[in-house]
Amino acid sequence: MTDQDHKPHLSLVGEPSAPTPEKIERPCFAVYDQDTHREGKHYRAGTWYHGARQSGPDDKTIPVDHWICAPLHIEAETVNSEDGSIGRLLSFHYRGRRIEWAMPMEALAGKADEVLKALMRQGLTIEYQQRRYVAPYLASQHSPALVIATTTRPGWHESGAFVLPSRVIGGDNVRFQDSGRAVNLFTTRGTLDGWRAEVGRYCLGNPVLILSVCCALAGPLLAKVGVNGGGVHLVGDSSSGKSLAQLVAASVWGNPGTFAASWDVSKGGVEIEAASRNDTVLILDEIKRADPKRVQEMAYAIANGMGKGTMTREREGRAKLTWRVLALSSGERSLSEHAAISGNSAHAGAELRLVDVNAGTRPYRAFDEVHGMTGQDFHRVLSDTVVQHYGHLGPSFVEQVVEQPQRDALLTAFQQLRERFHTESSQAGRVADRFAIMALAGEMAITQKLLDWPAGTAEQACRQLFNEWLARMGDGNAEDRQILRGIADFIALHGDSRFSSIHAQVADTTVRERAGYFEVEFDRRLFLFNSPALAQAAPGFGAERVVRALMTAKALAKTDGDAKGGRRSKKYRLPGGGSSRFYVVDPERLEKEGESQ
């Protein structure tokens, strides 16, 4: 080892492999990886403070040596890629395992208690009586020769590496940085072969399970092909198997019990959960635990990939949390049904960002194939095996992506597969993008021999579930569909209580909160909406938008379109005298349009 003076009163021993000089230039710090003799004295392995003190009437200098902690090395200077803050990369061994921690320099401010806590939490042995020397030691090396980048979120880094808390795939010049207190979500157990044999093979024949695995694998591909985030929502009754499908997806990246998250968080909480799983998968169990008033807002946030802006005490903007992730949600109710509990109408955009998948009325509830077992036994077997092997498939898939960095080839493969997800509207097309990227991830894993599935298995399952969604929701404009459904429901609820005949001789005084009138023409009843009622039937949409949806569906049976101004309403004489304008709606067109879409 060599002593390197960085302050007039301190020196630091840097390279542990260098020869150890006999003389100690006190005061200094030194790190010994093994027992060492210097100046005729034995020093056990560890980090030492070599000091001196004056004693006696002659002010004689007496050497002072303190063992501070186990060998603790400062490997490099770190620069955070998000905010440019500086730190140090520290390393030590605990029970034969090498531990790294990227420490921000600002953590040394004050008493540096958080640094001690973080190091002790990760296993560093520290001499309690000499703990005050740890911070001066870490602060003493000012300019380490090696400089590397750090990031506070997992996933793709600007260097091209894929960063996880416990490993970096595809690069050595970047590290994950945290406080040392966060739970490591990306843990492993068992083997990949074990997962394939005991979990992956049971997915065959089960579109919901296959989709779940593909959803977990697709996260690293989103940035590569330019597909936005979003997700799928598994809908089924309690104990149908949808939560098990989520555990299978979670096992792709880590321990299913800790990697999966919950809807029982605030909007800020779901942002933190999404950012901590960036470029992987966000699993949210039981939508009934979400706040009905905020659930749609949370769905938007997950898909949009950017958190709410906040300010420091100095009223300066903090860096926003960002992420790109696919979500795998579950619940007994759909997103729109859960939002309706609070009295809020469903937002079509939220429904498109978290699309419903049937995981409750399949041959065996969430499953299509139980591999010769009863549904109960199948659920039990898969529940047991999914916690024995986990955390291998996702990183192995990323390794293959890193080794084949040809982005053009990946884009071509995605475009070719996307063409087989047929849509007409741009809104359904964005949902198709999501299913196509999941299918691509699954097929890539099959090609790479990471999944023991026949070629085409992932695409077939994703296309099947997408086509089920398309048949249920339609290929038209989602906002139009929502408006027409709202007006049809309004008529079904209030057709005889808030409307009366426009051709009556006198006004019907029994109608309260009048929404308009009706007239019968060729055995069909047309409903004449006044403007307030039309707005009430389609809350959240402006009058112009509602009328445009009705025009697109050809549901406006009569207009004064040829009159001056091209009105979309029609003028009628009122029972008892006077006149007014109404929007004449044909409910049969609402129903036909809903079926065709």
Side-chain angles (χ1 to χ4, degrees), residues 461-505:
C462 292
R463 284 177 61 189
Q464 176 183 342
L465 296 179
F466 171 72
N467 288 333
E468 289 178 8
W469 174 83
L470 198 62
R472 185 171 61 253
M473 300 301 293
D475 200 0
N477 183 283
E479 284 81 8
D480 284 0
R481 187 166 57 245
Q482 183 178 343
I483 291 169
L484 300 179
R485 187 193 312 134
I487 296 174
D489 291 346
F490 188 90
I491 291 173
L493 287 171
H494 308 296
D496 289 322
S497 61
R498 298 181 63 180
F499 297 85
S500 63
S501 175
I502 189 69
H503 299 303
Q505 296 300 316

Side-chain angles (χ1 to χ4, degrees), residues 174-191:
V174 61
R175 294 292 189 278
F176 185 80
Q177 179 174 315
D178 64 2
S179 65
R181 296 189 300 271
V183 176
N184 182 6
L185 301 172
F186 299 87
T187 55
T188 59
R189 183 180 182 182
T191 64

Side-chain angles (χ1 to χ4, degrees), residues 202-266:
Y202 288 120
C203 297
L204 287 171
N206 286 294
V208 171
L209 293 179
I210 293 171
L211 178 78
S212 299
V213 173
C214 293
C215 183
L217 288 174
L221 299 184
L222 295 177
K224 298 291 185 180
V225 300
V227 172
N228 293 325
V232 294
H233 178 61
L234 307 180
V235 183
D237 292 340
S238 177
S239 302
S240 65
K242 58 188 183 297
S243 294
L244 178 58
Q246 291 182 295
L247 294 180
V248 171
S251 71
V252 171
W253 291 102
N255 184 342
T258 56
F259 191 88
S262 170
W263 274 108
D264 188 18
V265 291
S266 64

Side-chain angles (χ1 to χ4, degrees), residues 28-54:
C28 70
F29 291 100
V31 180
Y32 307 125
D33 283 330
Q34 56 191 0
D35 290 358
T36 303
H37 283 82
R38 299 186 68 180
E39 296 182 340
K41 185 176 179 181
H42 175 78
Y43 298 98
R44 65 186 174 107
T47 305
W48 286 79
Y49 171 68
H50 297 307
R53 62 183 175 85
Q54 305 297 319

Side-chain angles (χ1 to χ4, degrees), residues 505 573-579:
Q505 296 300 316
R573 286 195 169 277
L574 300 177
S579 63

